[in-house]
Amino acid sequence: MIDAQGRIQAVLEQLVSEGREVGLQVAAYLDGELVVDAWAGAADRATGHDVDGDSLFPLHSCGKGVTATAIHLLADRGLFEYDMPVATVWPEFACHGKQRVTLRQVLNHSAGVPHLPADTTPGDLCDWDRMCAVITESAPLWEAGTRVGYHALTYGYILGEAVRRADGRTVDQVVRDEITGPLGIADSPIYGIAESMAPRVAVVVDDAPENPTCPELRRRWPR
Protein backbone atom coordinates (compact mmCIF):
# COMPACT_ATOMS: atom_id res chain seq x y z
CA MET A 1 0.00 0.00 0.00
CA ILE A 2 1.32 3.43 -0.93
CA ASP A 3 2.33 5.58 2.05
CA ALA A 4 0.54 8.69 0.78
CA GLN A 5 0.86 10.51 4.10
CA GLY A 6 4.61 9.98 4.31
CA ARG A 7 5.28 10.85 0.69
CA ILE A 8 3.24 14.04 0.80
CA GLN A 9 4.84 15.05 4.10
CA ALA A 10 8.29 14.60 2.59
CA VAL A 11 7.39 16.75 -0.42
CA LEU A 12 6.06 19.55 1.79
CA GLU A 13 9.16 19.55 3.95
CA GLN A 14 11.37 19.62 0.86
CA LEU A 15 9.47 22.60 -0.57
CA VAL A 16 9.97 24.50 2.67
CA SER A 17 13.63 23.54 3.06
CA GLU A 18 14.37 24.67 -0.50
CA GLY A 19 12.69 28.02 0.13
CA ARG A 20 10.02 27.40 -2.47
CA GLU A 21 7.29 27.62 0.15
CA VAL A 22 7.03 29.32 3.53
CA GLY A 23 4.30 27.16 5.00
CA LEU A 24 1.55 24.98 3.61
CA GLN A 25 -1.00 22.24 4.29
CA VAL A 26 -2.39 19.37 2.24
CA ALA A 27 -5.48 17.33 3.08
CA ALA A 28 -6.91 14.63 0.83
CA TYR A 29 -9.95 12.41 1.14
CA LEU A 30 -10.64 9.09 -0.54
CA ASP A 31 -14.17 7.69 -0.41
CA GLY A 32 -14.97 10.06 2.43
CA GLU A 33 -11.94 9.07 4.50
CA LEU A 34 -9.13 11.48 5.34
CA VAL A 35 -6.06 9.77 3.88
CA VAL A 36 -3.56 12.66 3.91
CA ASP A 37 -3.31 15.37 6.54
CA ALA A 38 0.13 16.95 6.27
CA TRP A 39 1.73 20.34 6.90
CA ALA A 40 5.11 22.00 7.11
CA GLY A 41 6.78 25.38 7.54
CA ALA A 42 5.84 28.63 9.23
CA ALA A 43 2.41 30.19 9.54
CA ASP A 44 3.96 33.47 10.69
CA ARG A 45 7.69 33.97 10.32
CA ALA A 46 7.61 37.13 12.46
CA THR A 47 6.37 35.26 15.52
CA GLY A 48 7.88 31.88 14.69
CA HIS A 49 4.47 30.24 14.80
CA ASP A 50 4.50 27.04 12.73
CA VAL A 51 1.78 25.66 10.52
CA ASP A 52 -0.29 22.92 12.12
CA GLY A 53 -3.45 21.05 11.33
CA ASP A 54 -5.64 23.89 12.65
CA SER A 55 -3.93 26.72 10.73
CA LEU A 56 -6.23 28.77 8.54
CA PHE A 57 -4.94 29.96 5.17
CA PRO A 58 -6.67 32.83 3.33
CA LEU A 59 -8.35 31.50 0.21
CA HIS A 60 -9.99 33.36 -2.60
CA SER A 61 -11.81 32.16 -5.68
CA CYS A 62 -12.23 28.55 -4.55
CA GLY A 63 -14.81 29.96 -2.16
CA LYS A 64 -17.04 30.72 -5.13
CA GLY A 65 -17.73 27.03 -5.59
CA VAL A 66 -18.84 26.72 -1.96
CA THR A 67 -21.06 29.80 -2.32
CA ALA A 68 -22.59 28.36 -5.47
CA THR A 69 -23.23 25.08 -3.66
CA ALA A 70 -25.17 26.98 -0.99
CA ILE A 71 -27.25 28.59 -3.75
CA HIS A 72 -27.94 25.20 -5.35
CA LEU A 73 -29.05 23.72 -2.02
CA LEU A 74 -31.49 26.56 -1.43
CA ALA A 75 -32.71 26.42 -5.03
CA ASP A 76 -33.33 22.69 -4.64
CA ARG A 77 -35.61 23.51 -1.70
CA GLY A 78 -37.57 25.99 -3.80
CA LEU A 79 -36.23 29.15 -2.18
CA PHE A 80 -34.71 30.32 -5.47
CA GLU A 81 -35.28 29.82 -9.17
CA TYR A 82 -32.19 30.22 -11.32
CA ASP A 83 -33.88 32.55 -13.80
CA MET A 84 -35.32 34.70 -11.04
CA PRO A 85 -34.06 38.30 -11.09
CA VAL A 86 -31.79 39.03 -8.15
CA ALA A 87 -33.96 42.10 -7.52
CA THR A 88 -36.86 39.78 -6.61
CA VAL A 89 -35.27 39.24 -3.21
CA TRP A 90 -33.00 42.31 -3.19
CA PRO A 91 -35.07 45.17 -4.67
CA GLU A 92 -32.32 47.79 -4.39
CA PHE A 93 -30.15 45.74 -6.73
CA ALA A 94 -32.40 46.75 -9.63
CA CYS A 95 -30.86 50.26 -9.75
CA HIS A 96 -29.13 51.50 -12.91
CA GLY A 97 -30.41 48.85 -15.28
CA LYS A 98 -29.81 45.69 -13.23
CA GLN A 99 -33.47 44.83 -12.78
CA ARG A 100 -33.30 41.84 -15.15
CA VAL A 101 -30.03 40.34 -13.92
CA THR A 102 -30.83 36.78 -12.90
CA LEU A 103 -29.34 34.46 -10.34
CA ARG A 104 -28.18 32.20 -13.17
CA GLN A 105 -26.29 35.09 -14.78
CA VAL A 106 -24.49 35.86 -11.54
CA LEU A 107 -23.58 32.20 -11.12
CA ASN A 108 -22.13 32.00 -14.65
CA HIS A 109 -20.37 35.40 -14.52
CA SER A 110 -22.48 37.00 -17.23
CA ALA A 111 -24.31 39.49 -14.97
CA GLY A 112 -22.26 42.48 -16.17
CA VAL A 113 -21.27 43.65 -12.69
CA PRO A 114 -17.68 42.42 -12.22
CA HIS A 115 -16.25 45.79 -11.19
CA LEU A 116 -15.72 47.84 -8.05
CA PRO A 117 -14.57 51.46 -7.70
CA ALA A 118 -10.84 51.91 -8.18
CA ASP A 119 -10.46 53.35 -4.67
CA THR A 120 -11.94 50.28 -2.94
CA THR A 121 -9.75 49.34 0.03
CA PRO A 122 -9.26 46.05 1.92
CA GLY A 123 -11.17 47.66 4.76
CA ASP A 124 -14.09 48.30 2.43
CA LEU A 125 -14.10 44.64 1.41
CA CYS A 126 -14.62 43.70 5.06
CA ASP A 127 -17.71 45.92 5.31
CA TRP A 128 -20.53 43.81 3.90
CA ASP A 129 -23.22 46.49 3.93
CA ARG A 130 -20.91 49.03 2.29
CA MET A 131 -19.97 46.63 -0.50
CA CYS A 132 -23.58 45.73 -1.15
CA ALA A 133 -24.42 49.43 -1.36
CA VAL A 134 -21.57 49.99 -3.82
CA ILE A 135 -22.79 47.12 -6.01
CA THR A 136 -26.34 48.45 -5.83
CA GLU A 137 -25.17 51.79 -7.22
CA SER A 138 -23.08 50.19 -9.99
CA ALA A 139 -24.30 50.23 -13.57
CA PRO A 140 -23.61 47.04 -15.57
CA LEU A 141 -20.72 47.08 -18.00
CA TRP A 142 -22.71 45.03 -20.52
CA GLU A 143 -26.23 43.72 -20.97
CA ALA A 144 -26.65 40.73 -18.69
CA GLY A 145 -26.30 37.43 -20.47
CA THR A 146 -24.61 38.80 -23.58
CA ARG A 147 -21.03 38.09 -22.54
CA VAL A 148 -19.01 36.54 -19.75
CA GLY A 149 -16.55 38.39 -17.52
CA TYR A 150 -15.10 37.01 -14.31
CA HIS A 151 -16.86 38.56 -11.30
CA ALA A 152 -13.80 38.20 -9.10
CA LEU A 153 -14.80 40.42 -6.17
CA THR A 154 -18.54 40.96 -6.63
CA TYR A 155 -19.67 37.34 -6.98
CA GLY A 156 -19.80 36.53 -3.28
CA TYR A 157 -21.50 39.77 -2.27
CA ILE A 158 -24.28 39.47 -4.86
CA LEU A 159 -25.04 35.82 -4.14
CA GLY A 160 -24.49 36.21 -0.41
CA GLU A 161 -26.85 39.15 -0.15
CA ALA A 162 -29.45 37.27 -2.20
CA VAL A 163 -29.15 34.43 0.33
CA ARG A 164 -29.47 36.80 3.29
CA ARG A 165 -32.51 38.54 1.84
CA ALA A 166 -34.30 35.32 0.91
CA ASP A 167 -33.29 33.00 3.73
CA GLY A 168 -32.47 35.34 6.63
CA ARG A 169 -29.10 33.70 7.26
CA THR A 170 -25.74 34.93 6.06
CA VAL A 171 -24.04 32.80 3.43
CA ASP A 172 -21.45 31.85 6.06
CA GLN A 173 -24.20 30.53 8.32
CA VAL A 174 -25.85 28.63 5.48
CA VAL A 175 -22.51 27.02 4.64
CA ARG A 176 -21.98 26.08 8.29
CA ASP A 177 -25.51 24.77 8.76
CA GLU A 178 -25.91 22.96 5.47
CA ILE A 179 -22.43 21.97 4.26
CA THR A 180 -19.44 22.17 6.57
CA GLY A 181 -21.32 21.44 9.80
CA PRO A 182 -22.76 18.13 8.61
CA LEU A 183 -19.31 17.22 7.27
CA GLY A 184 -17.73 17.95 10.65
CA ILE A 185 -15.45 20.72 9.38
CA ALA A 186 -17.39 23.83 10.41
CA ASP A 187 -14.32 25.53 11.87
CA SER A 188 -12.11 24.96 8.84
CA PRO A 189 -13.64 26.65 5.75
CA ILE A 190 -14.77 30.00 7.15
CA TYR A 191 -16.19 33.09 5.48
CA GLY A 192 -14.67 35.74 7.70
CA ILE A 193 -13.09 34.80 11.00
CA ALA A 194 -14.13 35.58 14.55
CA GLU A 195 -11.57 37.53 16.57
CA SER A 196 -10.84 34.42 18.62
CA MET A 197 -9.71 32.62 15.45
CA ALA A 198 -7.16 35.26 14.43
CA PRO A 199 -4.16 33.42 15.96
CA ARG A 200 -4.89 30.47 13.66
CA VAL A 201 -4.54 32.52 10.47
CA ALA A 202 -1.36 32.10 8.43
CA VAL A 203 0.31 35.27 7.16
CA VAL A 204 0.40 35.43 3.38
CA VAL A 205 3.73 36.62 1.94
CA ASP A 206 4.66 37.69 -1.57
CA ASP A 207 8.28 36.71 -1.92
CA ALA A 208 8.09 33.71 -4.23
CA PRO A 209 11.30 33.01 -6.16
CA GLU A 210 11.41 33.52 -9.89
CA ASN A 211 10.24 30.46 -11.79
CA PRO A 212 13.17 29.41 -14.01
CA THR A 213 10.86 28.12 -16.72
CA CYS A 214 8.45 31.05 -16.61
CA PRO A 215 9.88 34.34 -15.33
CA GLU A 216 6.47 35.99 -15.68
CA LEU A 217 4.83 33.56 -13.28
CA ARG A 218 5.68 35.40 -10.08
CA ARG A 219 4.53 38.76 -11.42
CA ARG A 220 1.27 37.33 -12.71
CA TRP A 221 0.41 34.99 -9.84
CA PRO A 222 2.07 36.09 -6.59
CA ARG A 223 1.63 33.87 -3.59
Side-chain angles (χ1 to χ4, degrees):
M1 183 175 179
I2 296 174
D3 178 18
Q5 174 73 26
R7 293 177 65 177
I8 296 297
Q9 185 66 53
V11 169
L12 301 191
E13 291 175 0
Q14 180 180 355
L15 290 171
V16 171
S17 67
E18 292 176 351
R20 296 164 64 186
E21 294 285 354
V22 175
L24 65 169
Q25 297 166 318
V26 172
Y29 289 79
L30 178 64
D31 297 328
E33 180 184 354
L34 181 64
V35 294
V36 174
D37 192 14
W39 55 83
D44 186 345
R45 290 186 297 192
T47 64
H49 182 65
D50 289 335
V51 175
D52 60 30
D54 288 327
S55 297
L56 297 174
F57 283 77
L59 299 174
H60 302 284
S61 291
C62 58
K64 292 182 174 66
V66 181
T67 301
T69 300
I71 292 289
H72 297 320
L73 285 170
L74 296 178
D76 190 56
R77 294 177 187 171
L79 190 64
F80 292 128
E81 293 183 2
Y82 292 115
D83 292 316
M84 173 194 81
V86 174
T88 301
V89 294
W90 181 7
E92 300 91 333
F93 183 81
C95 290
H96 306 296
K98 300 191 297 298
Q99 65 273 13
R100 295 183 181 178
V101 174
T102 67
L103 199 63
R104 185 188 305 275
Q105 290 164 343
V106 180
L107 285 164
N108 66 24
H109 298 269
S110 67
V113 198
H115 54 301
L116 292 174
D119 61 353
T120 301
T121 68
D124 293 335
L125 295 175
C126 295
D127 186 334
W128 184 271
D129 290 337
R130 175 180 174 81
M131 295 311 302
C132 289
V134 166
I135 292 169
T136 294
E137 291 301 316
S138 297
L141 298 183
W142 61 82
E143 182 182 349
T146 61
R147 56 171 285 195
V148 171
Y150 187 48
H151 287 50
L153 295 178
T154 58
Y155 187 94
Y157 294 108
I158 298 173
L159 295 179
E161 186 65 5
V163 166
R164 189 173 73 89
R165 297 293 184 109
D167 181 85
R169 292 176 291 175
T170 65
V171 68
D172 175 66
Q173 194 60 55
V174 171
V175 168
R176 282 175 168 268
D177 292 347
E178 311 289 349
I179 304 174
T180 60
L183 290 173
I185 54 172
D187 287 332
S188 295
I190 300 165
Y191 283 62
I193 63 165
E195 191 66 30
S196 61
M197 294 179 175
R200 296 172 55 195
V201 179
V203 177
V204 177
V205 296
D206 182 14
D207 61 353
E210 294 290 344
N211 186 304
T213 61
C214 184
E216 292 297 312
L217 186 62
R218 181 175 183 273
R219 287 191 289 274
R220 291 173 55 201
W221 301 106
R223 295 180 195 173

mmCIF file of all heavy atoms in Angstrom, residues 10 27 53 57 94 97 111 122 124 133 152 159 180 186 195 199 204 207 211 213:
data_model
loop_
_atom_site.group_PDB
_atom_site.id
_atom_site.type_symbol
_atom_site.label_atom_id
_atom_site.label_comp_id
_atom_site.label_asym_id
_atom_site.label_seq_id
_atom_site.Cartn_x
_atom_site.Cartn_y
_atom_site.Cartn_z
ATOM 1 N N ALA A 10 6.914 14.399 3.043
ATOM 2 C CA ALA A 10 8.293 14.599 2.593
ATOM 3 C C ALA A 10 8.366 15.692 1.538
ATOM 4 O O ALA A 10 9.299 16.511 1.534
ATOM 5 C CB ALA A 10 8.859 13.289 2.052
ATOM 6 N N ALA A 27 -4.558 18.342 2.577
ATOM 7 C CA ALA A 27 -5.483 17.330 3.081
ATOM 8 C C ALA A 27 -6.132 16.667 1.878
ATOM 9 O O ALA A 27 -6.470 17.334 0.900
ATOM 10 C CB ALA A 27 -6.542 17.955 3.986
ATOM 11 N N GLY A 53 -2.230 21.517 11.961
ATOM 12 C CA GLY A 53 -3.455 21.052 11.333
ATOM 13 C C GLY A 53 -4.628 21.986 11.488
ATOM 14 O O GLY A 53 -5.627 21.863 10.767
ATOM 15 N N PHE A 57 -5.594 29.228 6.252
ATOM 16 C CA PHE A 57 -4.941 29.963 5.171
ATOM 17 C C PHE A 57 -5.985 30.766 4.404
ATOM 18 O O PHE A 57 -7.043 30.231 4.049
ATOM 19 C CB PHE A 57 -4.244 29.002 4.211
ATOM 20 C CG PHE A 57 -2.948 28.458 4.731
ATOM 21 C CD1 PHE A 57 -2.923 27.459 5.676
ATOM 22 C CD2 PHE A 57 -1.738 28.964 4.265
ATOM 23 C CE1 PHE A 57 -1.728 26.950 6.170
ATOM 24 C CE2 PHE A 57 -0.538 28.476 4.744
ATOM 25 C CZ PHE A 57 -0.527 27.468 5.700
ATOM 26 N N ALA A 94 -31.865 46.421 -8.306
ATOM 27 C CA ALA A 94 -32.403 46.753 -9.628
ATOM 28 C C ALA A 94 -31.921 48.094 -10.162
ATOM 29 O O ALA A 94 -32.107 48.394 -11.350
ATOM 30 C CB ALA A 94 -33.926 46.743 -9.578
ATOM 31 N N GLY A 97 -30.302 49.815 -14.191
ATOM 32 C CA GLY A 97 -30.407 48.847 -15.282
ATOM 33 C C GLY A 97 -30.118 47.409 -14.911
ATOM 34 O O GLY A 97 -29.944 46.575 -15.819
ATOM 35 N N ALA A 111 -23.392 38.479 -15.500
ATOM 36 C CA ALA A 111 -24.311 39.495 -14.970
ATOM 37 C C ALA A 111 -23.948 40.914 -15.382
ATOM 38 O O ALA A 111 -24.785 41.812 -15.332
ATOM 39 C CB ALA A 111 -24.371 39.406 -13.449
ATOM 40 N N PRO A 122 -9.006 47.302 1.190
ATOM 41 C CA PRO A 122 -9.255 46.047 1.921
ATOM 42 C C PRO A 122 -10.251 46.224 3.058
ATOM 43 O O PRO A 122 -11.053 45.333 3.334
ATOM 44 C CB PRO A 122 -7.862 45.671 2.438
ATOM 45 C CG PRO A 122 -6.928 46.256 1.432
ATOM 46 C CD PRO A 122 -7.563 47.563 1.030
ATOM 47 N N ASP A 124 -12.762 48.274 3.050
ATOM 48 C CA ASP A 124 -14.085 48.301 2.428
ATOM 49 C C ASP A 124 -14.599 46.882 2.186
ATOM 50 O O ASP A 124 -15.777 46.586 2.393
ATOM 51 C CB ASP A 124 -14.046 49.050 1.097
ATOM 52 C CG ASP A 124 -13.759 50.532 1.247
ATOM 53 O OD1 ASP A 124 -14.042 51.089 2.326
ATOM 54 O OD2 ASP A 124 -13.227 51.126 0.286
ATOM 55 N N ALA A 133 -23.961 48.121 -0.912
ATOM 56 C CA ALA A 133 -24.425 49.432 -1.356
ATOM 57 C C ALA A 133 -23.685 49.886 -2.608
ATOM 58 O O ALA A 133 -24.276 50.449 -3.538
ATOM 59 C CB ALA A 133 -24.255 50.455 -0.233
ATOM 60 N N ALA A 152 -14.778 38.627 -10.103
ATOM 61 C CA ALA A 152 -13.805 38.202 -9.097
ATOM 62 C C ALA A 152 -14.182 38.631 -7.686
ATOM 63 O O ALA A 152 -14.139 37.832 -6.748
ATOM 64 C CB ALA A 152 -12.417 38.742 -9.462
ATOM 65 N N LEU A 159 -24.371 37.061 -4.525
ATOM 66 C CA LEU A 159 -25.040 35.819 -4.145
ATOM 67 C C LEU A 159 -25.300 35.769 -2.637
ATOM 68 O O LEU A 159 -26.356 35.314 -2.196
ATOM 69 C CB LEU A 159 -24.203 34.620 -4.581
ATOM 70 C CG LEU A 159 -24.045 34.442 -6.095
ATOM 71 C CD1 LEU A 159 -23.166 33.234 -6.385
ATOM 72 C CD2 LEU A 159 -25.405 34.285 -6.777
ATOM 73 N N THR A 180 -20.622 22.521 5.776
ATOM 74 C CA THR A 180 -19.443 22.173 6.575
ATOM 75 C C THR A 180 -19.798 21.574 7.926
ATOM 76 O O THR A 180 -19.079 20.714 8.430
ATOM 77 C CB THR A 180 -18.537 23.398 6.771
ATOM 78 O OG1 THR A 180 -19.268 24.441 7.459
ATOM 79 C CG2 THR A 180 -18.041 23.928 5.444
ATOM 80 N N ALA A 186 -16.824 22.475 10.342
ATOM 81 C CA ALA A 186 -17.392 23.830 10.406
ATOM 82 C C ALA A 186 -16.374 24.897 10.767
ATOM 83 O O ALA A 186 -16.547 26.064 10.419
ATOM 84 C CB ALA A 186 -18.551 23.867 11.391
ATOM 85 N N GLU A 195 -12.805 37.016 15.984
ATOM 86 C CA GLU A 195 -11.566 37.528 16.568
ATOM 87 C C GLU A 195 -10.783 36.422 17.275
ATOM 88 O O GLU A 195 -9.553 36.386 17.239
ATOM 89 C CB GLU A 195 -11.887 38.651 17.560
ATOM 90 C CG GLU A 195 -10.676 39.431 18.023
ATOM 91 C CD GLU A 195 -10.005 40.229 16.920
ATOM 92 O OE1 GLU A 195 -10.713 40.662 15.986
ATOM 93 O OE2 GLU A 195 -8.770 40.406 16.986
ATOM 94 N N PRO A 199 -5.474 34.049 15.806
ATOM 95 C CA PRO A 199 -4.163 33.422 15.964
ATOM 96 C C PRO A 199 -3.940 32.210 15.066
ATOM 97 O O PRO A 199 -2.804 31.794 14.854
ATOM 98 C CB PRO A 199 -4.148 33.012 17.443
ATOM 99 C CG PRO A 199 -5.115 33.938 18.109
ATOM 100 C CD PRO A 199 -6.197 34.136 17.094
ATOM 101 N N VAL A 204 0.053 35.607 4.783
ATOM 102 C CA VAL A 204 0.403 35.435 3.376
ATOM 103 C C VAL A 204 1.558 36.358 3.022
ATOM 104 O O VAL A 204 1.549 37.545 3.362
ATOM 105 C CB VAL A 204 -0.806 35.745 2.473
ATOM 106 C CG1 VAL A 204 -0.415 35.643 0.997
ATOM 107 C CG2 VAL A 204 -1.950 34.784 2.771
ATOM 108 N N ASP A 207 6.852 36.699 -1.638
ATOM 109 C CA ASP A 207 8.282 36.709 -1.923
ATOM 110 C C ASP A 207 8.687 35.420 -2.632
ATOM 111 O O ASP A 207 9.755 34.872 -2.403
ATOM 112 C CB ASP A 207 9.105 36.891 -0.642
ATOM 113 C CG ASP A 207 8.878 35.757 0.367
ATOM 114 O OD1 ASP A 207 7.993 34.915 0.118
ATOM 115 O OD2 ASP A 207 9.591 35.727 1.379
ATOM 116 N N ASN A 211 10.348 31.785 -11.204
ATOM 117 C CA ASN A 211 10.237 30.457 -11.793
ATOM 118 C C ASN A 211 11.197 30.372 -12.969
ATOM 119 O O ASN A 211 11.092 31.149 -13.922
ATOM 120 C CB ASN A 211 8.793 30.223 -12.264
ATOM 121 C CG ASN A 211 8.566 28.815 -12.749
ATOM 122 O OD1 ASN A 211 9.258 28.354 -13.640
ATOM 123 N ND2 ASN A 211 7.596 28.132 -12.154
ATOM 124 N N THR A 213 11.444 28.446 -15.422
ATOM 125 C CA THR A 213 10.864 28.120 -16.723
ATOM 126 C C THR A 213 9.850 29.152 -17.186
ATOM 127 O O THR A 213 9.425 29.147 -18.322
ATOM 128 C CB THR A 213 10.185 26.740 -16.672
ATOM 129 O OG1 THR A 213 9.130 26.783 -15.702
ATOM 130 C CG2 THR A 213 11.182 25.664 -16.289
#
